[in-house]
Amino acid sequence: MSHCPFCQIIEGNLEASVIYEDDVCLAIVPLHAPYPESAVVFPKEHIDHFTDLPKDLANHVMGVGFEIGKKIMSMYSPGRVGMGVHGYGVAHAHFNVFPQNHPYDVVFRKMAYVKEGEVRFGFKNLPVPSREKMDEIAATLKIEK
Ligand SMILES: [Zn+2]
């Protein structure tokens, strides 16, 4: 059994609110996001670095993220929709798609906190939505294959 949480989800060992799934990728509502109406899209194959994905797979993952981004904009009307590869967190290549309502949302300003006089970033101040809320968001953001 893999220790990678995304592989655990793919293997059915961890619960997730699925937005989209096909033969090669999965899109879910993330547990930790500045705004819960977000998505994380990843290939089913465990590959650590996004830049190591075969180009067709990277394009496919980003294309799914693009469609979900359009859905986020149409369903939730944020100021902007941001997309990107963070590169840290889960060591399984993934593409983030998230609403933005402030210029600093691209760096997840809600993740900032001060400890011992230094500004740090982490998930500790981000609430985890209920499974019901994440399932509702997943149903709202469903896209067609
Ligand atoms: Zn993995």
Side-chain angles (χ1 to χ4, degrees), residues 37-51:
E37 299 82 9
S38 299
V40 59
V41 189
F42 48 92
K44 288 185 171 177
E45 182 180 354
H46 181 92
I47 298 173
D48 185 349
H49 296 262
F50 198 85
T51 50

Side-chain angles (χ1 to χ4, degrees), residues 60 115 121 124:
H60 181 75
K115 183 176 180 182
F121 295 87
K124 67 181 231 163

Side-chain angles (χ1 to χ4, degrees), residues 16-140:
S17 295
V18 175
I19 297 169
Y20 174 86
E21 181 172 12
D22 63 26
D23 291 344
V24 296
C25 83
L26 191 64
I28 63 170
V29 178
L31 277 184
H32 302 284
Y35 298 102
E37 299 82 9
S38 299
V40 59
V41 189
F42 48 92
K44 288 185 171 177
E45 182 180 354
H46 181 92
I47 298 173
D48 185 349
H49 296 262
F50 198 85
T51 50
D52 288 338
L53 297 182
K55 186 175 180 180
D56 287 350
L57 182 55
N59 287 339
H60 181 75
V61 168
M62 289 190 291
V64 169
F66 174 79
E67 293 297 332
I68 294 171
K70 290 185 354 183
K71 198 76 179 270
I72 290 171
M73 184 58 86
S74 69
M75 299 306 292
Y76 298 111
S77 303
R80 302 275 178 173
V81 172
M83 303 179 188
V85 175
H86 183 275
Y88 287 95
V90 177
H92 179 135
H94 56 284
F95 188 71
N96 299 290
V97 187
F98 48 89
Q100 294 175 271
N101 293 297
H102 185 280
Y104 295 147
D105 283 344
V106 74
V107 292
F108 296 174
R109 68 187 168 111
K110 289 184 175 180
M111 294 171 67
Y113 63 96
V114 176
K115 183 176 180 182
E116 297 168 357
E118 292 184 18
V119 175
R120 298 175 183 203
F121 295 87
F123 295 125
K124 67 181 231 163
N125 294 328
L126 294 177
V128 175
S130 67
R131 176 61 52 201
E132 292 75 24
K133 178 66 177 172
M134 289 193 286
D135 286 347
E136 175 190 315
I137 293 166
T140 300

Side-chain angles (χ1 to χ4, degrees), residues 2-8 10 43-47 90-93:
S2 170
H3 293 288
C4 169
F6 290 170
C7 287
Q8 288 280 305
I10 292 163
K44 288 185 171 177
E45 182 180 354
H46 181 92
I47 298 173
V90 177
H92 179 135

